[in-house]
């Protein structure tokens, strides 16, 4: 520290002091320890670690002191002191002090404190992830109540303000929110989770905040959407609100096919006519991002604009910090782009929650950059990877210092990028880790990084929505498989698999096949119950990434209404669902008010078709178990495949009675799990000792219908009987027909007739074929690349009609493989004519 004592009158001559009767050696001098009068503490904050401030403190008797870090100056004479602060440039960012000149009056035996906070100007574009005050791009900005009054988690905002290094001491000067789109939903793709509004396609992912479940969105709904631009005219929605239509329509997009004479351009598939716009801000040109406002819906694909505003480039001055959230749209060796902004990379770019190899097109990132005269220099890139685990559970522990919470014995790390929302009765808008409590129930989505899981999204829910006796679900990446102990690990959660667990890969499999085929890295959905400290899987479904048809499926759950067996339709959550002979019914035929889970696809015309309808029991969790009786005590206390089983007066016994129960007896048990985790048997079916288990496959011949649910037919040399106890896969009774290929599992007592326990039809296969029509047999049947194609009244035609079917026409066909009377063809859902 440099000390500058400017005392010319005293230094001129020491003899003059004596002659004039000047002060003695005991008189206090400014800065002397003798006779100290006071002290000043100067606190320096907001600069990057290791950086020095540029401060000067001056005071009585020409006192002057240069200061670079937090310090306390003692033994100061009383009087007026002034602290002068100068801006500092660190790593190309300009940090400015909160005040350039501060004056204090120092009294005897007093300590004054002066705080200098350095901040740099910041322009932040990103998602609101929490409140108290407002969190954007991992930074908490102090705001006024008015600034955050109408904001919600998931909204995209443009924030102007100031912040210190690493986001400290951040203050918002202004926060602006503009919806990416306000309009009517014209298309919903439930499998790919996209909706189309005003010609723009918006994707929905696990972080999208929805005021209604995605599967409950319908065409015709009026929505307000906040979204991130993905490039190629596509967006990923961060929030979707379903609202009442109010006559205000907005849409943002990239300009294409600009016609300056007609004053039109396109945003995706939407044509915008701005010839009558009352205001046009900025210069409209192709590839520009614009915001359009209108007061009416599009007419025949044309939106008449009231106002058009061209989005301006980042206007932050050189030396300011710019913070952005977005989807990477372009990457090369020394730069990348998100949301129309290009960032320069350097050896000093700091990557968080990942490394430079993770910087790929499609990755969601947060970027901190410094603005220069001609570029944005990326200083920090924080990755926001896709969730690898989703779970609901009770908080066991909270560590505020480590910023972790523990659920089911596993810790999850939260930070300022974690998106918080309170859906519990407390409805705390300012929820964060510090306000959570042990015993709270939370829904967590997290991704793995090194040995930790980082929480992307956390919602607190009401405890009444979660209890140990319910069946719960977790979805995530399988991290370990232990066939010997019959467990799988999803994320950090270990699930026990037993004889009652329903296991599904491409189809239902047994324990042996399951553990032979499942592997770490697979994506699994696990339904489970809690037994003490153990998690017991009741169902495990592994996603088949190679199955194009499976990628088209989605699930609906709810209560059945408006069941119409004649039209083969019913309503679920306000949505009409179709079914036919291909639909698989599990747990019986459903009726109105049944709670069901539906595996469905969306047809080309937008309608929803049920592949599988499973009735969910309102009595509890339904399980099935098959094997030999063990640990037999009585008819109300025994085990099968490690599952504790009891019976009561309502239990149905088939091919035997309760008196036949004993150790070693082979049975199939269907029942409901009780609160004591005991399976209360609804039905116990005994295996016939004289019966031989068989599996056969072939083509149905000689079909005879004895009653609505009793059929007989031949498979080769064997006769097959089907009855109400037969479990169907990929279809139901109505699908049975001569010429169909089936697989049957059952038993025989005479070696000729097989009683079917399970009958499996060939699964529906979705296919696409593209090429020239080589043969036309009729207006409903033609050939492409040797494939027979059939069309029906439900087939959708694009860029042509059924009358245009002719040899030589190039078409693209989407549909389903159908085998009928030994012949296979494609039932066309859509036929698109090509130039």
């Amino acid at each position: 520290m440099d000390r500058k004592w400017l005392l010319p009158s005293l230094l001129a001559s020491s003899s003059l002091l004596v002659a004039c009767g000047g002060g003695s050696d005991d008189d206090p001098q400014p800065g002397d320890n003798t006779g100290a009068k006071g002290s000043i503490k100067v606190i320096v904050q907001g600069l990057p670690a290791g950086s020095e401030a540029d401060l000067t403190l001056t005071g009585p008797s020409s006192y002057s002191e240069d200061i670079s870090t937090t310090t306390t100056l003692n033994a100061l004479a009383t009087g007026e002191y002034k602290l002068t602060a100068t801006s500092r440039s660190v790593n190309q960012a300009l940090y400015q002090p909160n005040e350039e000149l501060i004056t204090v009056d120092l009294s005897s035996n007093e300590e004054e404190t002066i705080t200098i906070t350095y901040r740099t100007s910041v322009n932040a574009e990103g998602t609101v992830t929490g409140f108290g005050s407002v969190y954007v791009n991992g930074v908490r900005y102090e705001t006024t109540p008015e600034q955050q009054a109408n904001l919600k988690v998931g909204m995209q905002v443009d924030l102007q303000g100031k912040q210190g290094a690493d986001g400290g001491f951040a203050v918002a000067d202004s926060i602006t929110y503009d919806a990416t789109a306000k309009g009517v939903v014209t298309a919903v793709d439930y499998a790919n989770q996209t909706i189309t509004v005003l010609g723009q396609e918006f994707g929905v992912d696990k972080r999208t905040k929805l005021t209604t479940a995605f599967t409950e969105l319908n065409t015709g709904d009026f929505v307000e959407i906040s979204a991130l631009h993905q490039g190629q005219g596509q967006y990923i929605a961060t929030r979707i609100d379903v609202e009442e239509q109010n006559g205000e329509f907005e849409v943002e997009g990239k300009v294409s096919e600009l016609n300056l004479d007609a004053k039109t351009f396109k945003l995706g598939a939407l044509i915008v006519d701005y010839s009558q716009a009352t205001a046009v801000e900025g210069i409209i040109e192709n590839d520009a991002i614009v915001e359009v406002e209108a007061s009416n819906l599009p007419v025949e694909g044309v939106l008449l604009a009231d106002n058009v505003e061209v989005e301006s480039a980042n206007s932050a001055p050189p030396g300011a910090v710019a913070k952005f959230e977005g989807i990477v749209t372009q990457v090369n060796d020394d730069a990348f782009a998100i949301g129309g902004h290009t960032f320069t990379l350097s050896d000093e770019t700091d990557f968080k929650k990942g490394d430079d190899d993770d910087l790929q097109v499609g990755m969601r990132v947060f970027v901190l950059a410094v603005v220069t005269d001609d570029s944005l220099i990326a200083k920090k890139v924080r990755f926001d990877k896709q969730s690898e685990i989703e779970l609901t559970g009770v908080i066991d522990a909270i560590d505020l210092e480590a910023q972790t919470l523990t659920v089911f014995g596993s810790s999850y790390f939260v930070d300022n990028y974690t998106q918080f929302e309170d859906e519990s009765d407390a409805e705390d808008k300012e929820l964060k880790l510090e306000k959570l409590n042990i015993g709270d129930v939370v829904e967590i989505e997290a991704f793995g990084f090194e040995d930790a899981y980082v929480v992307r999204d956390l919602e607190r829910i009401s405890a009444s929505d979660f209890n140990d006796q319910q069946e719960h679900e977790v979805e995530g990446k399988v991290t370990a498989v232990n066939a010997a102990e019959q467990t799988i690990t999803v994320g950090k959660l270990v699930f026990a698999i037993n004889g009652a667990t329903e296991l599904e890969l491409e189809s239902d499999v047994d324990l042996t096949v399951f553990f032979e085929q499942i592997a770490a890295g697979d994506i699994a959905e696990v339904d489970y119950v809690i037994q003490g400290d153990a998690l017991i899987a009741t169902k495990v479904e592994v996603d088949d990434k190679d199955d194009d048809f499976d990628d088209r499926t989605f699930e609906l759950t709810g209560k059945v209404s408006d069941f119409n067996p004649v039209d083969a339709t019913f309503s679920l959550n306000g949505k009409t669902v179709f079914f036919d002979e291909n639909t698989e019914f599990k747990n019986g035929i459903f009726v109105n008010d049944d709670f069901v889970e539906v595996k469905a696809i969306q047809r080309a015309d937008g309608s929803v078709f049920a592949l599988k309808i499973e009735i969910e029991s309102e009595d509890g969790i339904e399980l099935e178990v098959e094997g030999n009786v063990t640990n037999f005590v009585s008819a109300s206390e025994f085990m099968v495949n490690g599952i504790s089983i009891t019976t009561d007066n309502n239990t149905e016994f088939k091919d035997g009675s309760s008196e036949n129960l004993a150790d070693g007896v082979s049975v199939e048990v269907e029942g409901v799990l009780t609160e004591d985790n005991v399976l209360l048997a609804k039905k116990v079916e005994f295996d016939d000792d004289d019966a031989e288990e068989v599996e056969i496959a072939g083509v149905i011949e000689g079909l005879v219908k004895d009653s609505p649910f009793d059929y007989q037919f031949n498979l080769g040399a064997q006769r097959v009987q089907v009855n109400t106890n037969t479990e169907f896969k990929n279809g139901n009774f109505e699908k049975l027909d001569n010429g169909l290929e089936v697989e049957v599992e059952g038993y025989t007592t005479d070696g000729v007739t097989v009683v079917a326990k399970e009958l499996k039809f060939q699964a529906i296969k979705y296919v696409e074929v593209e090429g020239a029509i080589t043969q036309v047999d009729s207006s409903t049947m033609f050939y492409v690349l040797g494939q027979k194609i059939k069309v029906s009244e439900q087939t959708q035609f694009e860029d042509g009609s059924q009358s245009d079917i002719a040899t030589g026409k190039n078409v693209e066909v989407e549909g389903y493989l159908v085998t009928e009377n030994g012949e296979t063809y494609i039932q066309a859902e859509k036929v698109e004519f090509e130039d």
Side-chain angles (χ1 to χ4, degrees), residues 394-435:
V394 179
I395 297 177
D396 303 323
I398 297 174
D399 188 331
L400 295 179
E401 183 176 353
Q403 289 287 285
T404 61
L405 55 89
T406 303
V407 178
F408 293 132
S410 299
S411 295
Y412 298 89
F413 176 78
V414 304
D415 59 13
N416 283 349
Y417 295 91
T418 301
Q419 189 164 278
F420 284 90
E421 197 160 26
D422 194 357
E423 297 295 337
S424 72
D425 296 336
E427 296 182 344
D428 187 349
K429 186 177 180 180
E430 298 183 0
L431 183 67
K432 45 186 173 287
L433 184 64
E434 292 79 3
K435 303 184 82 171

Side-chain angles (χ1 to χ4, degrees), residues 15 133 210 232 285 297 348 358 368 373 401 452 471 544 550 584 588 629 646 708 726 779 832 835:
S15 60
S133 293
L210 295 155
Q232 303 300 316
E285 54 189 5
L297 285 169
E348 297 178 354
D358 293 314
L368 183 150
D373 289 329
E401 183 176 353
E471 190 172 40
D544 181 4
D550 189 60
E584 177 183 330
V629 173
T646 188
T726 303
S779 62
E832 181 177 354
D835 294 334

Side-chain angles (χ1 to χ4, degrees), residues 637-649:
E637 188 178 348
F638 60 97
M639 299 183 75
V640 175
N641 272 344
I643 307 299
S644 296
I645 297 173
T646 188
T647 62
D648 62 14
N649 292 333

